Amino acid sequence: MPKQTYAAVRQAVAWCNRGGSISAEPRINDRIRVPEVRLVGPSGEQVGIVPLAKALELAQEYDLDLVEVAANARPPVCKLMDYGKFKYESAMKAREARKNQAHTVIKEMKLRPKIDPHDYDTKKGHVVRFLKQGDKVKITIMFRGREQSRPELGYRLLQRLAEDVQELGFVESNPKQDGRNMIMVLGPHKKKTEAMAEAREAQAARKAERQGVSSVEEPAEEPAEA
């Protein structure tokens, strides 16, 4: 067997055994236009090189489709499978993968250098929530008027905030002056995927707890005395 054909067959068989996805719509059944194919059975077993008519006959006997999985091999490699079911399962896997895909988001929080304690605690609470969700936070100190001559006020405020949330995040980008603003970026210790998984577990736990409470039967009332 030529090396190129052997490599294509090995790739196709590996694809069949692990249930890989088809990158483009393959040719199936009567759309396959070759005199013979290298056939792979429903369970990934090697059937061998057979005439196309024989492969189509076997597909009918198994009530399956003949799907071309390696068109560049000589002869092409085809597999017996339920193509409709395969497409459905592949679409569901792709949907689940997109659902679990983690996108790093950069949140932004703006502060004034002379922020009062209550507003600081509120802003810090938002930063804590963002870091727990696995998001980065861009902290912007806005200077106005004469405040621009006191950049150390903003620097100290950013240092204070970084120390207050150090258990959840770290300074990814040190404070730097940008015009009238001073900017610092905090990164979360937890990855986005970990934060999402923990959030799902917590939601499932709360749901189970609510169901457990609702399933508790109330004690029956005692019958009234005659």
Side-chain angles (χ1 to χ4, degrees):
M1 182 186 301
K3 290 185 178 180
Q4 293 180 345
T5 301
Y6 180 70
V9 171
R10 287 190 60 187
Q11 183 179 5
V13 172
W15 175 90
C16 294
N17 289 333
R18 68 173 181 266
S21 60
I22 298 177
S23 59
E25 283 292 325
R27 292 183 292 186
I28 65 173
N29 299 329
D30 295 336
R31 295 180 182 178
I32 302 173
R33 304 293 185 181
V34 292
E36 59 184 14
V37 299
R38 184 175 296 277
L39 188 62
V40 180
S43 301
E45 69 276 13
Q46 286 284 340
V47 178
I49 298 176
V50 300
L52 176 62
K54 177 63 176 177
L56 290 171
E57 181 181 339
L58 290 173
Q60 290 182 348
E61 290 181 6
Y62 283 105
D63 194 22
L64 296 173
D65 299 300
L66 182 66
V67 183
E68 189 178 62
V69 297
N72 294 329
R74 293 294 178 267
V77 181
C78 295
K79 177 176 171 61
L80 297 174
M81 69 170 73
D82 185 338
Y83 187 57
K85 180 181 178 182
F86 173 80
K87 287 188 66 177
Y88 173 77
E89 291 177 348
S90 297
M92 293 301 293
K93 289 179 181 179
R95 180 181 177 183
E96 189 66 21
R98 288 193 300 269
K99 179 181 177 181
N100 294 329
Q101 188 174 8
H103 297 281
T104 301
V105 178
I106 299 180
K107 305 288 187 177
E108 185 172 9
M109 187 60 56
K110 296 182 178 180
L111 293 78
R112 295 292 307 280
K114 295 181 180 180
I115 188 170
D116 65 68
H118 176 74
D119 287 344
Y120 174 81
D121 290 337
T122 301
K123 299 280 188 179
K124 184 181 71 174
H126 292 315
V127 174
V128 168
R129 176 164 53 88
F130 295 148
L131 292 173
K132 284 183 176 180
Q133 293 173 352
D135 296 322
K136 296 182 180 181
V137 188
K138 176 184 176 183
I139 312 296
T140 302
I141 304 294
M142 302 179 297
F143 296 95
R144 294 180 183 176
R146 295 182 180 179
E147 293 175 347
Q148 297 180 59
S149 63
R150 301 285 304 278
E152 68 276 6
L153 296 178
Y155 185 81
R156 285 200 296 265
L157 181 58
L158 291 176
Q159 280 189 317
R160 174 188 172 188
L161 181 59
E163 291 174 0
D164 288 346
V165 300
Q166 61 183 343
E167 293 184 0
L168 299 172
F170 62 95
V171 177
E172 185 174 284
S173 177
N174 290 317
K176 62 180 180 180
Q177 195 76 26
D178 183 14
R180 294 184 177 182
N181 300 327
M182 183 175 288
I183 298 172
M184 177 182 72
V185 177
L186 296 174
H189 289 312
K190 292 182 181 178
K191 295 181 179 180
K192 184 70 173 180
T193 51
E194 295 176 356
M196 291 173 61
E198 289 184 0
R200 286 195 296 268
E201 290 177 1
Q203 184 179 7
R206 288 193 299 268
K207 183 178 179 181
E209 184 178 356
R210 288 195 300 269
Q211 291 176 346
V213 171
S214 62
S215 63
V216 175
E217 297 182 358
E218 296 183 357
E221 296 183 358
E222 295 182 0
E225 295 182 0

